[in-house]
């Protein structure tokens, strides 16, 4: 029974948005923690130990130790926060009242980088326990609780603890630091062997530790196994570990051996290679040096050499270093990428979800201008938002039913870039040429990265999904060592219906609803006919084609936070009649209603030959806004297609941590 609060002893905060119930623990009970139902008690730190604190005095004991939850991918990212006080302060704002402080209220605030900005998450400090001990992640010090509380805040962000089971280190690193990450393969890449003509891009996917030498002390590095190798030191299937440091050690016989210190979030050593305590490798280096290196090991850490590292791990995640003022540092050149911009975008079915270059609708994808003012290194990333439906401020539920498909949360995405000689250009002609640089293949990644050296000039950047009509929100980030400007194309390209026969001819019209003049509102109001109208003709050549032959899209130029409800009607005009008069006398032949609070609305039509007008409107009269009306009509011309394929980069494996006794 809970004690009633009083003025002398106020009640501690209890988070109603993330309650101490099974709903906060389990999503669909599909993971091994489902067997814990009924055994978990929620306790505050002062109920677990006598003198709780966020951090221990000995920083080595502040590192994360994994519990019964398979979130090693998240804990690897937590490890890097301890190496950077300014990043740690971002995630866990300092000076929050702790236990024993008169200001302590039983709550803590955390911040996560989401969709381009830092999002605050507040939790209470009641933590899942079994037999009065934390059952999920903790610190090596039993009286330090920053990891357990951060894990709870991250679980709240995702909807439940169970939704942290299995994930990518790269995603957690971005959420905790706002950095950019790349995933590389140790040793020879299978992808490189099969697609040698893309060697410049694929070479980036093959790990070369020499490349990282200039930033090895400040970049984040994590390694993962995808399957059991069956060796004596096998860390298990689907497990992520942290690379704490690496250094070149002189050998007694001459030359050097590169050694890497690895931390296992299980908190125990799991390796049996040549560099364990009694391993044969230590006899090849000076005994004093060997003793010093062995003394550096904390609980759960071990050394291995570069050959072992390359052969035993399947995946390496590299996080770009961040300066204290938030600037990215290139892992390729060491350059500080001081100039950066970011823009939100969206692929909308029927309007801007054009698919890959294989599709005739590719040109309808969102487009962005990149102006490079002077030569420099440029990094562009495309980060798609996970396919969640927000049910409240934090809790998130997948859009799909519980099918547990491999890539249910992400689309396969890519970036392509073209050099444009003049700001006015023929889009069709430009897109028929190969891009100057691209990510080459679409990948089921949350974020794809394009890095290149660019000369001054204008560049057209097009993000795309592999499948046409695939909807998602995304964020494009651009980082550069030299001055740049970045903007979205102001006039959205018209949407093109998907087809395999013929081509589509498009037209764009700019218009305005002006209060007291042309903002007539919907057909419910007599002023409806004051709205602008736009004539078009469907020609005889469309006869004989089946299905849709006209697609109309209306885009209002207002921020998504201040949209009008919009719609439009299509009227057929008999020959010899005045457009407005004829339309008033008959019902529309097609309409896009009811009016919706959306930036873009679209309608597919199958119209016989004839003369028509489109009347776009807001629902209420006198709602001022600019708009763009795009129309596509099917014509008979063959389309030249790009033979683009889904690359092997999409064949990902989640890093699932399997607890072993």
């Amino acid at each position: 029974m809970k004690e009633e609060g009083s003025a002398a002893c106020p009640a501690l905060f209890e988070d109603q948005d993330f309650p101490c119930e099974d709903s906060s623990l389990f999503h669909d009970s599909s993971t091994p923690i489902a067997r814990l139902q009924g055994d978990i008690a929620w306790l505050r730190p002062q109920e677990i130990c006598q003198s709780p604190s966020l951090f221990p005095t000995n920083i080595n004991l502040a590192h994360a130790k994994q519990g019964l939850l398979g979130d090693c991918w998240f804990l690897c990212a937590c490890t890097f926060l301890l190496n950077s006080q300014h990043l740690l302060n971002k995630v866990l704002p300092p000076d929050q009242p702790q236990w024993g402080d008169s200001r302590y209220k039983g709550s803590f605030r955390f911040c996560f980088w989401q969709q381009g900005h830092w999002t605050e998450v507040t939790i209470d400090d009641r933590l899942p326990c079994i037999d009065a001990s934390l059952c999920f992640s903790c610190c090596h010090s039993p009286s330090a609780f920053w990891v357990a509380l951060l894990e709870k805040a991250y679980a709240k962000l995702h909807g439940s603890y169970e939704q942290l089971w299995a994930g990518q280190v790269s995603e957690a690193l971005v959420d905790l630091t706002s950095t950019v990450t790349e995933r590389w393969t140790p040793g020879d890449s299978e992808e490189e062997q099969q697609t040698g003509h893309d060697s410049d891009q694929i070479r980036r996917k093959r790990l070369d530790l020499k490349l990282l030498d200039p930033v090895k002390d400040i970049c984040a590095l994590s390694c993962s196994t995808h399957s059991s190798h069956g060796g004596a030191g096998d860390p298990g299937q689907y497990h992520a570990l942290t690379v704490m440091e690496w250094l070149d050690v002189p050998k007694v016989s001459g030359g050097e051996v590169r050694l890497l210190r690895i931390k296992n979030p299980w908190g125990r050593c799991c390796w049996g290679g040549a560099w364990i305590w009694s391993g044969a490798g230590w006899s090849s280096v000076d005994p004093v040096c060997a003793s010093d290196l062995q003394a550096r090991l904390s609980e759960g850490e071990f050394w291995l050499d570069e050959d072992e590292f390359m052969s035993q791990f399947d995946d390496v995640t590299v996080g770009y270093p961040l300066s204290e003022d938030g600037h990215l540092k290139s892992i390729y050149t060491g350059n500080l990428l001081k100039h950066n911009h970011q823009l939100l975008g969206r692929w909308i079915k029927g309007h801007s979800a054009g698919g890959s270059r294989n599709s005739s609708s590719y040109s309808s994808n969102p487009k962005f201008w990149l102006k490079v003012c002077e030569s420099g290194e440029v990094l562009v990333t495309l980060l798609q938002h996970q396919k969640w439906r927000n049910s409240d401020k934090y809790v998130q539920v997948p859009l799909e039913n519980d099918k547990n498909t491999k890539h249910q949360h992400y689309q396969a995405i890519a970036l392509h870039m073209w050099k444009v000689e003049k700001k006015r250009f023929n889009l069709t002609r430009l897109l028929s040429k190969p891009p100057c640089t691209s990510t080459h293949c679409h990948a089921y990644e949350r974020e794809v990265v394009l890095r290149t050296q660019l000369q001054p000039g204008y560049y057209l950047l097009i993000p795309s999904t592999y499948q046409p009509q695939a909807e998602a929100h995304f964020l494009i980030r651009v980082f550069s060592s030299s001055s740049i400007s970045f903007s979205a194309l102001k006039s959205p390209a018209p949407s093109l219906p998907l087809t395999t026969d013929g081509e589509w001819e498009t037209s764009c019209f700019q218009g305005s609803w002006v209060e007291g003049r042309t903002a007539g509102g919907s057909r419910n109001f007599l002023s409806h006919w004051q709205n602008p109208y736009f004539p078009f003709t469907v020609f005889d050549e469309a006869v004989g084609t089946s299905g849709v032959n006209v697609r109309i899209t209306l885009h209002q130029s207002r921020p998504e936070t201040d949209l009008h409800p919009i719609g439009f009607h299509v009227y057929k005009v008999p020959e010899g009649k005045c457009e407005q008069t004829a339309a008033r006398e008959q019902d529309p032949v097609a309409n896009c209603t009811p009016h919706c609070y959306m930036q873009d609305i679209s309608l597919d039509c199958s119209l016989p030959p004839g003369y028509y007008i489109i009347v776009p409107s807001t629902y209420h009269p006198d709602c001022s806004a600019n708009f763009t009306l795009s129309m596509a009509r099917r014509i008979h011309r063959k389309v030249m297609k790009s033979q683009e394929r889904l690359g092997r980069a999409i064949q990902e494996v989640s890093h699932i941590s399997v607890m072993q006794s």
Side-chain angles (χ1 to χ4, degrees):
M1 183 179 293
K2 296 173 184 174
E3 296 180 3
E4 295 296 326
S6 65
C9 183
L12 296 178
F13 172 66
E14 294 186 358
D15 187 359
Q16 301 303 314
D17 293 329
F18 199 64
C20 294
E21 300 172 358
D22 281 356
S23 61
S24 298
L25 291 169
F26 311 110
H27 167 58
D28 56 11
S29 298
S30 61
T31 70
I33 68 168
R35 66 177 182 267
L36 303 178
Q37 293 188 52
D39 296 333
I40 291 179
W42 297 77
L43 302 177
R44 297 188 189 269
Q46 63 268 37
E47 299 173 301
I48 300 172
C49 68
Q50 285 191 343
S51 302
S53 61
L54 284 174
F55 297 94
T57 305
N58 182 351
I59 196 64
N60 287 328
L61 298 179
H63 285 290
K65 185 176 182 179
Q66 189 174 347
L68 299 178
L69 185 63
D71 60 351
C72 57
W73 58 282
F74 170 66
L75 301 182
C76 285
C78 292
T79 297
F80 297 115
L81 291 180
L82 292 177
N83 299 329
S84 173
Q85 190 63 48
H86 72 277
L87 289 176
L88 184 60
N89 289 345
K90 275 276 192 183
V91 174
L92 177 53
D95 300 326
Q96 297 190 54
Q98 300 183 37
W99 310 273
D101 189 321
S102 60
R103 299 174 299 148
Y104 165 72
K105 303 296 184 194
S107 64
F108 287 90
R109 293 178 294 110
F110 294 88
C111 294
F112 300 99
W113 192 84
Q114 296 282 286
Q115 303 170 8
H117 61 274
W118 289 93
T119 299
E120 186 173 288
V121 176
T122 299
I123 58 167
D124 64 37
D125 60 356
R126 297 177 293 175
L127 298 168
C129 296
I130 295 178
D131 296 331
S133 296
L134 294 173
C135 59
F136 298 144
S137 299
C138 60
C139 291
H140 283 273
S141 168
S143 61
F145 288 89
W146 81 276
V147 169
L149 292 168
L150 178 60
E151 182 184 57
K152 180 176 181 177
Y154 202 53
K156 179 177 178 177
L157 187 73
H158 282 73
S160 69
Y161 276 92
E162 192 171 45
Q163 286 185 295
L164 300 187
W165 190 286
Q168 303 288 354
V169 178
S170 55
E171 296 183 14
L173 264 178
V174 173
D175 291 345
L176 293 178
T177 68
S178 79
T179 189
V180 172
T181 64
E182 294 191 26
R183 292 173 56 206
W184 293 352
T185 302
D188 291 332
S189 166
E190 180 183 353
E191 188 175 9
E192 182 182 30
Q193 296 166 5
Q194 295 193 3
T195 56
H197 59 282
D198 285 341
S199 59
D200 285 345
Q201 183 72 10
I202 301 305
R203 210 169 7 243
R204 292 177 51 207
K205 300 295 182 186
R206 187 176 62 195
L207 176 64
D208 182 358
L209 289 175
K210 292 180 181 177
L211 182 68
L212 297 174
D213 268 343
V215 293
K216 70 176 185 177
D217 295 327
I218 52 176
C219 73
L221 202 64
S222 175
C223 51
S224 308
T225 59
H226 292 176
S227 59
S228 175
H229 293 285
D234 181 25
Q237 292 184 318
Y238 313 118
H239 191 46
L241 306 94
T242 305
V243 180
M244 301 300 290
E245 66 171 327
W246 75 86
L247 61 161
D248 296 322
V249 179
K251 298 174 69 175
V252 175
S253 60
E256 294 180 329
V257 59
R258 177 163 290 172
L259 297 181
L260 298 95
R261 179 162 58 94
I262 311 296
K263 177 177 283 292
N264 178 14
W266 289 345
R268 54 183 172 82
C269 183
C270 59
W271 201 260
W275 299 91
I276 60 173
W277 280 94
S278 57
W282 296 111
S283 62
S284 65
V285 302
D286 180 79
V288 175
C289 179
S291 178
D292 175 63
L293 294 179
Q294 289 178 332
R296 296 191 193 188
L297 295 176
S298 298
E299 189 177 358
E301 294 183 352
F302 56 91
W303 289 99
L304 47 74
D305 60 40
E306 185 174 7
D307 290 340
E308 288 178 315
F309 182 80
M310 293 294 188
S311 63
Q312 296 298 318
F313 292 102
D314 303 300
D315 193 276
V316 172
T317 297
V318 185
Y320 282 65
L322 276 165
S323 66
E324 291 197 16
D325 50 6
H327 295 318
L328 225 61
K329 193 168 188 178
S330 171
I331 58 177
Y332 295 95
T333 62
N335 289 336
L336 202 59
L337 307 179
K338 296 188 294 184
H339 305 270
N340 61 84
H341 300 270
Q342 63 180 35
L343 288 173
L344 291 165
R346 185 181 177 190
W347 294 292
I348 302 171
K349 185 177 181 180
H351 173 62
S352 59
S356 72
R357 295 178 69 219
N358 291 344
S359 172
S360 61
S361 60
Y362 176 76
S363 63
S364 67
N365 281 301
K367 302 170 195 64
F368 297 86
W369 273 122
L370 174 63
K371 181 183 178 182
V372 179
C373 302
E374 51 188 329
S375 300
E377 182 178 5
V378 177
L379 187 77
V380 186
T381 80
L382 171 63
L383 187 152
Q384 62 177 312
H385 301 173
Q386 202 167 20
K387 292 187 278 185
W388 299 106
R389 177 177 65 247
N390 291 326
S391 55
D392 57 41
K393 188 175 180 182
Y394 300 116
V395 180
Q396 302 166 317
V397 181
L399 285 172
E400 289 83 0
N401 294 327
D402 298 332
K403 298 177 183 177
N404 197 29
T405 53
K406 192 173 185 180
H407 302 301
Q408 65 177 3
H409 298 314
Y410 297 123
Q411 306 289 353
I413 58 174
L415 276 166
H416 292 79
M417 183 188 294
W418 283 265
K419 178 79 161 59
V420 180
E421 299 306 323
K422 298 179 180 177
K423 205 167 182 183
R424 296 183 66 86
F425 62 92
N426 184 299
L427 181 62
T428 303
R429 192 176 303 150
L430 179 73
L431 298 186
S432 66
K433 300 176 182 177
C436 65
T437 186
S438 73
T439 53
H440 289 292
C441 61
H442 287 71
Y444 284 109
E445 299 261 8
R446 187 173 76 164
E447 187 170 30
V448 295
V449 179
L450 182 63
R451 178 258 174 189
T452 187
Q453 294 282 337
L454 293 181
Q455 298 299 315
Y458 287 100
Y459 296 84
L460 181 70
L461 189 64
I462 300 183
S464 63
T465 59
Y466 185 75
Q467 294 291 344
Q469 306 292 60
E471 293 195 312
H473 291 263
F474 62 82
L475 175 74
I476 290 191
R477 298 191 283 169
V478 184
F479 306 86
S480 176
S481 60
S482 57
S483 180
I484 57 170
S485 62
F486 185 59
S487 60
L489 253 64
K490 296 192 182 302
S491 298
S495 168
L496 298 178
L498 303 175
T499 180
T500 54
D501 66 313
E503 192 179 348
W504 290 77
E505 184 176 73
T506 62
S507 304
C508 253
F509 306 97
Q510 305 290 333
S512 300
W513 295 298
V514 180
E515 182 179 352
R517 292 174 51 200
T518 59
S522 67
R523 295 181 75 213
N524 293 349
F525 302 94
L526 295 176
S527 57
H528 175 69
W529 296 104
Q530 295 175 9
N531 286 298
Y533 64 91
F534 301 87
F536 71 97
T537 302
V538 175
F539 297 103
D540 291 342
E541 65 179 22
V543 176
T545 60
S546 59
V548 173
N549 61 354
V550 174
R551 169 166 289 174
I552 302 165
T553 299
L554 177 63
H555 170 92
Q556 60 173 312
S557 302
R558 293 178 67 84
E560 289 200 10
T561 55
D562 190 26
L563 297 175
H564 294 316
I566 58 172
F568 59 81
H569 299 275
V570 180
Y571 300 90
K572 188 169 184 181
V573 180
E575 188 174 352
K577 289 274 189 177
C578 168
E579 289 107 339
Q580 245 190 20
T581 303
R584 287 190 194 202
E585 295 172 353
Q586 57 186 330
D587 291 329
V589 295
N591 58 66
C592 192
T593 56
H595 290 65
C596 298
Y597 285 95
M598 296 182 66
Q599 201 150 42
D600 304 274
I601 57 172
S602 294
L603 177 68
D604 293 346
C605 307
S606 183
L607 299 177
Y611 186 55
Y612 300 85
I613 64 169
I614 307 168
V615 182
S617 66
T618 58
Y619 182 76
H620 291 288
D622 295 330
C623 296
S624 296
N626 296 323
F627 63 83
T628 302
L629 190 71
S630 304
M631 184 181 61
R633 289 172 291 185
R634 184 183 291 189
I635 58 176
H636 292 294
R637 284 201 296 266
K638 291 295 181 182
V639 179
M640 295 297 292
K641 289 187 177 182
S642 163
Q643 297 302 312
E644 188 164 313
R645 63 182 181 82
L646 219 64
R648 294 189 61 84
I650 68 167
Q651 298 184 0
E652 295 184 14
V653 182
S654 294
H655 299 160
I656 303 173
S657 174
V658 179
M659 295 305 299
Q660 298 180 345
S661 59

